[in-house]
Amino acid sequence: MHAALITVLVIAAIGIILFVLLQSSKSDGLSGAITGGAEQLFGKQKARGMDAVLNRITVVLVVIFFVDAFLLGYFF
């Protein structure tokens, strides 16, 4: 059981890294982060197409990661 939870945790961590790197950038680099990055963060623009799919997969992997980490910390 312990080995299975560790395996799921490692796979989720690697998946999070990969899917975050596959997502397109939301700002124009450092200048966009300083001057106008908050517009897109709090704006009403939704991800569309492949970005929406990658976003959903990332959210699912993060939930799996945190639940798995909680279970590992609680039971072992």
Side-chain angles (χ1 to χ4, degrees), residues 17-70:
I17 293 168
L18 290 176
F19 283 106
V20 166
L21 289 175
L22 285 174
Q23 292 179 15
S24 64
S25 175
K26 303 281 191 275
S27 66
D28 297 331
L30 185 59
S31 64
I34 294 172
T35 59
E39 292 176 3
Q40 292 181 350
L41 179 62
F42 298 112
K44 302 248 182 200
Q45 296 177 346
K46 286 187 156 185
R48 303 219 185 268
M50 191 56 134
D51 283 334
V53 173
L54 292 173
N55 191 13
R56 288 186 187 121
I57 292 172
T58 304
V59 169
V60 169
L61 285 173
V62 168
V63 169
I64 290 170
F65 180 85
F66 278 108
V67 169
D68 194 18
F70 174 77

